[in-house]
Amino acid sequence: RVAAVQASYELMDRDATIDRVAELTADAAAQGAQVVVFPEVFIPGTPFWIDTQPIWDGDAEWFRLLADNAVAVPGPATDRLGAIAREHGVWLAIGASEREPSAGTVYNAVLYFSPDGTLVDRHRKLVPTGSERTVWGMGDGSTLRVVEAPFGRMGGLICWENYMPLARFHLYAQGVDLWLAPTLAVGDAWVASMQHLARENRMFVVGVNPRSGQVFVVCGN
């Protein structure tokens, strides 16, 4: 059983948002979920200002908040998230603004935790789209991996990365069974795209965003 979690976060407040993750994961696990998937950059929330004002006009304080509340890997935040996964015995996949402890670049990432609380993998968005490049750095192909689980292989891409056919094929070639597509996108065209991926590779696709009305699991069989 898979839980695609659609919920609000505490914007630019990492610790309060992880408190929300704990509550929501507990609720999902109580309903029998074995895999719990959160939306794109759920921690510490969407940097909405990149599309609402010129980046040179007053965004410095917002970016400071983003950098200060990004998830350092490894660090106390990943320890807490691992403990949440371990407490409830679930696979936890969560979108986060992520950075290395000793570096300043922030990445749009998905973190994968196993039921024993181990951070088993992370994927950084390869090409932030448009204004996203003002806050997130570019990932690379080294994070295009699948995660082995008892029920199959998990993997996937973030938001519009899903329109990159060579990235998709690289994961298809690794035998991915459960495709995770955390996103901020909405609309019928996005749902149709996820249905196409499910049929293209004959796999299950979990689509999840923080907005109302569009979380889903589709099967390509």
Side-chain angles (χ1 to χ4, degrees), residues 133-156:
R133 300 180 197 186
T134 65
V135 292
W136 292 316
M138 296 178 68
D140 60 55
S142 68
T143 66
L144 285 173
R145 296 181 292 262
V146 298
V147 174
E148 295 279 355
F151 49 79
R153 296 179 174 126
M154 287 189 294

Side-chain angles (χ1 to χ4, degrees), residues 13-37:
D13 190 330
R14 176 190 57 235
D15 295 336
T17 297
I18 294 176
D19 290 341
R20 289 278 290 146
V21 172
E23 296 169 3
L24 294 162
T25 302
D27 183 54
Q31 298 181 60
Q34 298 162 284
V35 181
V36 182
V37 186

